[in-house]
Every structure is written in C-alpha cells, then in structure tokens.
Amino acid sequence: MSRETICEKERTKIEKLNKFQFPFKFKKIGYYITFITFGLMIAKKFVEEPDWVKPVLSGILLLGMLLISMSRDKIEDEYIDSLRSQSYRFSFVIVVLYALIQPLINFGVGILFDETEKLQGFDYFQVLFFMLVVQLMAFYQLKRVSKLG
Amino acid sequence: MKNTLKVQRAIKDLTQDDLAKEIGVSRQTINSIEKGRYVPSTVLALKLSAVFEISVNEFFELESDD
C-alpha cells in the first residue's frame, strides 16, 4: 500500500470520527439520563450508600451530558455545526482558565481563615462536568441569540 | 461580506422558511446569512445560486475589511 493511500485512509478515518454524531432522538435520552442521575446524586446525600455509588453516578451523569452534546439537532446544518464548534472552543478556553484560577482563589480564601491551607487541584469529574455544562449553555445561548435576529 | 439574499428572496416571493426547505437548512441559517452574521460555505452558496438562477458573485460582495 502506498504512503498516499495510507495517509488518505487515515484522513478519512479522522474526518469520520470528527463528524460523528448521534441521531436527534438520543438528545432526549441524554436529558433523561442526566436529570434522573442528577436527582439520584442529590437523593444519595440523604442516605447511606456504598463507596462505589458516587463514581458510578458521576460517570453516568457525564455520559448523559455527552450524549446531549453529541446528538444532532432537529435540523442539523452547517450553521448549527459552526455554532457547535464555537461552543466547544469557548468551553475549552473557559475550563482551562477555570482550572488555573479556581485553585488559587480557593487557596487565597482558605489561607485567610486557616494558615495551614494547601493548594489543591480538581478531580476529573469537576473539570469534565464544568466543561460540558459550559459547552451546552454556550451552544443554547448562541442558538437563542441567533433566533432573536 | 455583503449579500443580496433578502432582495433576491423578495423578487422570487419566497419566505425564509420556503427557501430554507428548498435548500435543506434551517430558517435560522437563512436569517443569519441575510443579517451578515454567517458566511455560508461554497456548497450552500452554490445551492442558493441554483435556486435564484444567478451567479454567486451577484449574491455576495466583499467589503473593505474582508
């Protein structure tokens, strides 16, 4: 197989992966998963539960949100695609800034009340949850603004 | 980039919705192109050109800051 053919195949594969989206009906499923899991996460605060429950629910919540994020709109065209790309770019930048600034703010506030405060990072759930929330909100806001004319 | 989509649409007596259905996009997309908030791809520009039977150059015009 020639080098060009391998490159071409590789490019096609990446393009396919990049354009992959779930059908529109998966958006509804994503909403159900997200809201039910969110409800369960709140409910579990009031009951004793085994250690594995929290990471499992966190994972399911992220999957639900990812499903909403990656599902097609009713009419998915190039304009909606461009709004979606803008929302991903926006959420990426916001989350990087958040991840850099938030621990410093926590540290600063913490040190005011407790001199032994240590600089702490985030767990993966916080970062991914925040990223998906920002992306979904930015996407809907961009669509809403463009509808207003 | 300026465009004359709104004028062309009025000449053909098409609503944004009619045009959107004809070329397979959302009404929002047509609205955004007319308002100059979105520059369509070459494919979409050619589809518009086919509907109105005029060349792309008659639709779109570069502005000084483009």
Side-chain angles (χ1 to χ4, degrees), chain A residues 26-40:
Chain A
F26 279 75
K27 189 164 274 196
K28 213 180 229 179
I29 298 170
Y31 276 117
Y32 284 133
I33 294 173
T34 304
F35 287 118
I36 291 170
T37 317
F38 197 69
L40 287 172

Side-chain angles (χ1 to χ4, degrees), chain A residues 71-123:
Chain A
S71 297
R72 296 168 67 89
D73 261 35
K74 208 167 194 174
I75 302 174
E76 182 83 26
D77 59 14
E78 59 175 57
Y79 178 59
I80 294 294
D81 193 49
S82 86
L83 295 184
R84 200 187 292 280
S85 302
Q86 283 177 47
S87 71
Y88 282 123
R89 197 169 50 217
F90 177 75
S91 70
F92 174 76
V93 173
I94 293 293
V95 169
V96 170
L97 289 175
Y98 173 79
L100 290 173
I101 295 167
Q102 181 65 15
L104 296 176
I105 293 172
N106 277 351
F107 178 65
V109 173
I111 216 158
L112 287 176
F113 300 101
D114 176 14
E115 285 181 5
T116 59
E117 178 73 21
K118 282 179 188 164
L119 195 60
Q120 286 176 337
F122 300 97
D123 62 5

